[in-house]
Amino acid sequence: MSELVPGGNLPLPGGTLTIRVPGPFDVSALVTDDTGKVSGDADFVFYNQPVVPGARLTEESLTVDPRGLRSGASRVTVLVTPADPGTPLGRLPAPTLLVSGPGGRALARFTPPRPQRETALLLAEIYRRGTEWKLRALGQGYAEGLAGIARDFGVDVTEDDAPPAAAPGPDGFLELVNSVRAAAGSPPVSLDARLAGAARAHAADMAAHGLLASRGTDGLSVHQRVTAAGYAYLTVGEHLVSGPRTPGEFVEYCLTGEQSRATLYERAYTQTGLASVAHPRTGDLYWTALWARPFSADGLARTTREVVELTNAERAGEGLPPLLADAPLAAAAQAHSDDMVARAFYSHTSPDGGRPWDRAAAAGSTRRTIGENIACGQRSPAEVVRGWMNSPGHRANILKPDFTHLGVGLAGGGEAGMYWTQLFGG
């Protein structure tokens, strides 16, 4: 059985999964497509609607059969609330997610950081990546309970009382951002509720402690919050700022620095989320803006192909022949990037001692010479290849005459955002 950490993921076997959260908790689920939105209220699985196609809720457990989900469904997000609606999760034991497969075989366990004042928690998601289904641990809390979660996922919620006033929201933010991007020749972005939720959580942590930081006091990086919010990405970026009083001032500030301006203009981003939270004593606003492109199998293929093309352009500049794409090397490279995210490490040697040539052989490669480049944090193929070329050891691999083939893998969701792997063979 795998012990998962926030952002960790696990391939799932075929068949029906059983999910339990022992203790004084109610389990619910949301069925969504790649946009992260439900197609209607019928995609909300809870005590008043315990059965939908592919999912069934009983008093003891939630069962999910990915093959039986409605057409277009690609994700099931599992959430918990206190059995007593008036009790914050912080007063209860930390919920533990237990997942078993066909025949009752234990697959995974996940206990998130203990919530505080939150009244609902996104625990995990079962999601499709290509033709496979995987489990990802989340741990994103909501202070508004099921109503806040349902609203962010597109479920219609009617409440008698209006929610309390919040810090200045993104009024006019999207229009201003897209105007600035258009002037720079970049395509427009759209707002995404999951990115906004992750931005809100990170801004709240910074404001509570009066500290601008990419890692929160709860140990989660801003990139891990994106994953914990249920957003799988191909690339991600952020702005962390304090001081501006309005979204307009925030955007103006982001235009003043070369790196922050490049993030604002980045053509790869298609979605964004913005939040600001006031410091409880000074009233200063702490801002988090998140920028991303959601994961897709086609997008992954395009990105890895671009890394190969840029690598071969560097070789061509030195009079070397191009490296040919290699399926076993690509499979091993992708598996290593996924593993670094899932098991929270960054190394050529995996926690169980596996080395690049071991991974290549396990994937079916018969290449006699193996080399590997890894990187984390870079946001585009151009950035990662440029970084490798600026490092003597990585540059030597790219320009090694003996190498004839190349596989590339990348995965998002770890502390540093994107994790890249090049696996060379000759």
Side-chain angles (χ1 to χ4, degrees), residues 237-249:
E238 78 286 339
H239 288 106
L240 307 176
V241 179
S242 66
R245 295 164 296 179
T246 66
E249 290 184 7

Side-chain angles (χ1 to χ4, degrees), residues 74-107:
S74 59
R75 184 182 296 121
V76 178
T77 304
V78 181
L79 51 119
V80 294
T81 52
D84 176 4
T87 303
L89 286 169
R91 296 182 186 175
L92 301 175
T96 295
L97 178 84
L98 301 173
V99 182
S100 56
R105 183 167 67 92
L107 299 176

Side-chain angles (χ1 to χ4, degrees), residues 59-421:
E59 291 185 3
E60 294 81 19
S61 62
L62 169 71
T63 57
V64 177
D65 181 0
R67 299 166 301 179
L69 296 173
R70 66 163 173 81
S71 176
S74 59
R75 184 182 296 121
V76 178
T77 304
V78 181
L79 51 119
V80 294
T81 52
D84 176 4
T87 303
L89 286 169
R91 296 182 186 175
L92 301 175
T96 295
L97 178 84
L98 301 173
V99 182
S100 56
R105 183 167 67 92
L107 299 176
R109 178 167 56 195
F110 170 57
T111 302
R114 184 167 182 161
Q116 299 300 316
R117 289 173 291 182
E118 294 91 338
T119 55
L121 187 69
L122 302 183
L123 265 185
E125 63 176 358
I126 299 160
Y127 67 101
R128 185 175 62 218
R129 190 165 194 176
T131 59
E132 294 184 328
W133 286 87
K134 295 187 174 184
L135 173 74
R136 178 183 288 117
L138 301 178
Q140 174 68 46
Y142 276 71
E144 298 177 70
L146 281 181
I149 292 176
R151 190 179 301 112
D152 278 358
F153 279 77
V155 179
D156 290 331
V157 177
T158 301
E159 298 180 299
D160 294 334
D161 299 320
D171 293 340
F173 170 70
L174 189 64
E175 294 79 2
L176 179 57
V177 160
N178 282 333
S179 175
V180 168
R181 286 174 62 86
S186 299
V189 293
S190 61
L191 293 173
D192 182 89
R194 295 161 297 172
L195 293 177
R200 188 183 310 117
H202 200 74
D205 186 87
M206 292 193 301
H209 299 88
L211 179 67
L212 280 176
S214 60
R215 176 190 281 271
T217 57
D218 56 2
L220 292 180
S221 74
V222 65
H223 305 113
Q224 288 170 317
R225 294 193 198 282
V226 175
T227 304
Y231 190 105
Y233 55 82
L234 275 174
T235 184
V236 67
E238 78 286 339
H239 288 106
L240 307 176
V241 179
S242 66
R245 295 164 296 179
T246 66
E249 290 184 7
F250 170 81
V251 173
E252 288 180 8
Y253 179 89
C254 293
L255 289 170
T256 60
E258 181 179 353
Q259 182 58 51
S260 62
R261 188 166 54 246
T263 299
L264 195 61
Y265 291 161
E266 175 56 58
R267 295 180 59 84
Y269 299 142
T270 60
Q271 295 179 321
T272 185
L274 174 73
S276 64
V277 177
H279 187 282
R281 182 174 56 82
T282 67
D284 292 340
L285 291 181
Y286 284 74
W287 297 79
T288 299
L290 290 166
W291 312 84
R293 175 186 288 271
F295 175 86
S296 69
D298 288 345
L300 176 64
R302 286 195 303 271
T303 304
T304 56
R305 187 164 57 246
E306 187 174 349
V307 173
V308 174
E309 291 169 354
L310 290 171
T311 299
N312 282 332
E314 297 291 348
R315 288 175 63 88
E318 299 294 327
L320 295 169
L323 300 171
L324 302 178
D326 184 277
L329 293 178
Q334 184 61 51
H336 190 55
S337 288
D338 288 338
D339 194 31
M340 287 192 289
V341 170
R343 293 200 275 179
F345 74 97
Y346 177 65
S347 174
H348 293 288
T349 304
S350 61
D352 53 12
R355 304 296 294 274
W357 41 89
D358 301 321
R359 294 189 286 272
S365 174
T366 57
R367 306 292 167 194
R368 292 179 295 177
T369 305
I370 296 293
E372 185 178 78
N373 286 344
I374 59 175
C376 65
Q378 294 82 2
R379 299 170 180 179
S380 68
E383 186 178 350
V384 74
V385 172
R386 183 168 60 249
W388 281 326
M389 288 299 293
N390 288 334
S391 167
H394 299 97
R395 177 187 176 93
N397 273 339
I398 288 175
L399 300 181
K400 187 171 183 177
D402 292 345
F403 287 144
T404 57
H405 291 75
L406 174 64
V408 175
L410 67 137
E415 179 181 349
M418 300 300 300
Y419 288 70
W420 306 77
T421 303

